[in-house]
Amino acid sequence: MTSTGTTESDTISDAIGPARRPPFLAVVGPHVSEAASIAVTLIPGFAPLVRVPHSASPSRLRATLAAMRQSDAPLVVATDSAAAVRDADHVLVTDGGVVVEDGRPTDLLAIPGVYAQWYGDEIGANFSDPGKDVADE
């Protein structure tokens, strides 16, 4: 006999699952200060804004950001590391103080553009060409 009811743990899990968890928003710029200034302007009211400077290990930054995600608050990150925010729900890319690209990281990597170029530069590959596979770093 199978149970059709839901347990309390199922309800809690569903409440914080990917479909319902608060967004992970990122602003990527050539300098953290530029990205932060744009984030404060374009995404007001989201606090705290996390400033993440570029590191030699984008994977380590990604793991740190994943650990920072909470079930009850959006995560807004300003960084100069495109690869660090590959797991973001939405990315704004700034250059020269203006937003030049925005979208999901996978979509931005699928087109030749600023985000794809910066991402490729960080991991030592050319992802600015259409059709490149970015499943692995």
Side-chain angles (χ1 to χ4, degrees), residues 30-54:
H31 307 286
V32 175
S33 58
E34 177 181 306
S37 132
I38 297 289
V40 169
T41 303
L42 296 179
I43 312 171
F46 286 105
L49 171 67
V50 179
R51 292 172 171 242
V52 179
H54 182 74

Side-chain angles (χ1 to χ4, degrees), residues 82-83 86 109 114-123 127 134 137:
R86 184 178 90 186
L109 287 169
V114 176
Y115 182 83
Q117 179 64 48
W118 290 347
Y119 184 93
D121 289 348
E122 287 178 48
I123 65 166
F127 289 111
V134 295
E137 290 186 14

Side-chain angles (χ1 to χ4, degrees), residues 22-27 43 46 49-50 69 74-78 85 88-92:
F24 172 10
L25 309 170
V27 180
I43 312 171
F46 286 105
L49 171 67
V50 179
R69 289 192 80 172
L75 176 61
V76 180
V77 172
V85 294
D89 297 313
H90 195 89
V91 174
L92 298 173

